[in-house]
Amino acid sequence: NVLNLAQRAAASDSTILLLGESGTGKSMVAKLIHECSPRRDKPFVTVTLPAIPEQLLSSELFGYEEGAFTGARKNGHKGKIAMAEGGTLFLDEIGDMAFDLQSKLLHFIQERTYFPIGSNDPVTSNVRIIAATNQNLEELVAKGKFRLDLYYRLNVISLTMPPLRERREDIEAIIEDIL
């Protein structure tokens, strides 16, 4: 059922939030959505948020201009959003995103523009956002650790991946696929 819903959701350009425990296949479903979408011929870029130090995440997402800070590359750096232009940006483990960066992501989702670090010129972008988490975002909102407005922007279409223990009939097919 989730895969059927994912394929139907792929036809729209709406933001999708994938929920479920670790190991339920959220990243595989994100790729499936991209491959079934009109954006399939454009890039699919994954950002695993906890894997990037908080201090670097803004420059990884939005990029930076030459001279934006000490040690900045000559000619600047293209961010993940620019790399995904026309395609899909998959934000994995969105529940782990630092609170101060959530407002920048919210602005990008609402306006489809962003400012590379060190730039005064906005960049307009055409990417689809798919986010995933194994955390309960509603609880994080209640605790003040996740922005309510960002949660609403991400939760346009929500798909919950059931754990394998709830879909034992899939075990044989998974084993055959692995073998």
Side-chain angles (χ1 to χ4, degrees), residues 89-128:
L89 180 67
F90 175 49
L91 301 172
D92 200 10
E93 301 304 340
I94 192 77
D96 293 324
M97 182 176 227
F99 194 81
D100 60 327
L101 288 174
Q102 292 176 25
S103 61
K104 290 181 181 180
L105 179 62
L106 175 65
H107 177 268
F108 169 69
I109 292 172
Q110 288 176 326
E111 304 298 327
R112 295 297 179 188
T113 62
Y114 64 95
F115 291 87
I117 296 173
S119 175
N120 292 323
D121 300 322
V123 176
T124 301
S125 182
N126 175 20
V127 299
R128 179 193 204 154

Side-chain angles (χ1 to χ4, degrees), residues 45-69:
V45 176
T46 299
V47 181
T48 306
L49 297 167
I52 302 170
E54 186 178 322
Q55 309 87 307
L56 300 178
L57 189 55
S58 189
S59 66
E60 280 298 306
L61 280 177
F62 304 111
Y64 59 81
E65 298 292 319
E66 180 177 344
F69 50 85

Side-chain angles (χ1 to χ4, degrees), residues 145-165:
K145 295 182 178 182
F146 201 85
R147 293 180 60 107
L148 179 62
D149 45 4
L150 178 58
Y151 172 68
Y152 284 133
R153 290 289 180 184
L154 294 173
N155 197 25
V156 176
I157 297 175
S158 178
L159 300 174
T160 301
M161 302 296 302
L164 190 56
R165 68 179 171 275

Side-chain angles (χ1 to χ4, degrees), residues 2-71:
V2 172
L3 295 177
N4 289 335
L5 288 172
Q7 289 174 329
R8 286 182 28 215
S12 86
D13 235 7
S14 297
T15 302
I16 297 178
L17 180 59
L18 302 175
L19 304 168
E21 297 176 14
S22 293
T24 54
K26 294 181 294 293
S27 62
M28 293 175 69
V29 170
K31 287 179 188 171
L32 172 74
I33 291 168
H34 174 74
E35 291 168 4
C36 292
S37 79
R39 297 175 180 268
R40 67 182 149 272
D41 295 329
K42 301 293 183 179
F44 177 85
V45 176
T46 299
V47 181
T48 306
L49 297 167
I52 302 170
E54 186 178 322
Q55 309 87 307
L56 300 178
L57 189 55
S58 189
S59 66
E60 280 298 306
L61 280 177
F62 304 111
Y64 59 81
E65 298 292 319
E66 180 177 344
F69 50 85
T70 304

